[in-house]
Amino acid sequence: MKKTILAIAFVAIGAVSCKTEKNKVTANEEVKEVKKVENVINSYKANVAESTVTWKGSKPTGSHNGVVSLEKGLLDIENGVLKSGEFVINMNSIVCQDLEAGKGKEDLEGHLKAGDFFDVEKFPTAKFAVTSSEMKEGKLHVTGNLTLKDVTKSITIPATVTEADGMATFKSDVFSIDRTDFGVTYKSKKIDAALKDKFINDLMEISFDIKAKK
């Protein structure tokens, strides 16, 4: 019976790992030259109360997920095309949604904010700045500079941008980044092979759902 349970657990973990690997985006060198946008027809300011950034991290024994709040953001759209944009994320607002208060929730949130992970006292914000976008096979691909801690890398993510009645929405697909690319190395098997099954997966899932208005 114990062997069966372990087998089911490893199959489930394998399925999560495959999905995360499939959604992985490559972190390239920061795009230094960002095109200046002139005469933008529609500029939208993010509604931080209605916008969310989701996250999910995993390890061999399970996973945790939650949200981080937006501090501010802007979308510039011209003829239905996303020309530029920037989202500043409040890293002090990290919330775990799958744990209950008094049952590990506060401990995990505190650890994620500590120096081992995102060191929010030193780096209180993260940022995604759009540098370009293009349609590929009917899907919008947005390239931008993602800054976590003191590291900035260029990533390209699939997303959807819509406009209606003075409102705009930027919604990305769920994508995965390698946290070690951004200096978050706590319990990374890549860094310390001696961890064996005590490691935390290097790949972390993220998604953006930004609501904005003129």
Side-chain angles (χ1 to χ4, degrees):
M1 182 66 176
K2 185 179 290 186
K3 289 182 178 179
T4 302
I5 294 172
L6 283 173
I8 292 172
F10 279 118
V11 168
I13 292 165
V16 170
S17 297
C18 287
K19 179 185 175 184
T20 305
E21 191 73 40
K22 182 180 178 182
N23 296 332
K24 182 184 177 184
V25 297
T26 302
N28 300 306
E29 289 303 308
E30 175 186 1
V31 176
K32 299 293 185 182
E33 294 185 10
V34 179
K35 293 180 181 178
K36 184 178 179 180
V37 181
E38 297 179 354
N39 303 319
V40 173
I41 297 173
N42 294 322
S43 187
Y44 298 87
K45 185 178 180 181
N47 183 333
V48 297
E50 295 183 5
S51 300
T52 56
V53 180
T54 68
W55 60 267
K56 183 177 182 180
S58 62
K59 55 185 178 179
T61 54
S63 63
H64 294 294
N65 63 273
V67 295
V68 193
S69 297
L70 204 67
E71 186 170 290
K72 61 182 178 179
L74 189 69
L75 293 172
D76 288 329
I77 301 173
E78 185 179 79
N79 298 323
V81 177
L82 179 63
K83 290 294 186 177
S84 66
E86 183 174 281
F87 317 130
V88 178
I89 302 161
N90 178 5
M91 296 302 289
N92 279 290
S93 68
I94 296 173
V95 172
C96 176
Q97 294 181 312
D98 64 287
L99 292 175
E100 296 179 17
K103 296 183 179 180
K105 175 181 171 69
E106 295 87 352
D107 290 340
L108 178 59
E109 291 171 354
H111 197 186
L112 290 174
K113 295 175 185 179
D116 283 342
F117 281 95
F118 298 108
D119 198 358
V120 301
E121 184 175 349
K122 190 174 181 180
F123 308 103
T125 61
K127 184 171 70 174
F128 182 69
V130 176
T131 56
S132 64
S133 66
E134 64 175 326
M135 294 295 295
K136 289 183 180 179
E137 299 176 351
K139 186 74 175 182
L140 181 67
H141 287 72
V142 178
T143 297
N145 291 326
L146 177 65
T147 302
L148 285 174
K149 299 182 78 172
D150 59 347
V151 179
T152 299
K153 298 282 187 178
S154 174
I155 62 172
T156 300
I157 57 177
T160 302
V161 175
T162 57
E163 290 180 279
D165 302 323
M167 303 290 292
T169 299
F170 174 91
K171 187 175 178 62
S172 77
D173 289 3
V174 175
F175 62 95
S176 299
I177 60 169
D178 186 330
R179 62 189 175 92
T180 64
D181 287 335
F182 296 87
V184 184
T185 60
Y186 179 74
K187 285 197 174 181
S188 167
K189 201 171 184 179
K190 186 190 300 182
I191 306 299
D192 185 1
L195 287 168
K196 296 184 178 180
D197 63 346
K198 303 294 184 182
F199 68 93
I200 296 174
N201 199 330
D202 291 336
L203 297 184
M204 177 178 67
E205 291 187 357
I206 301 173
S207 70
F208 297 120
D209 189 354
I210 312 300
K211 303 289 195 304
K213 59 184 178 180
K214 286 186 178 180

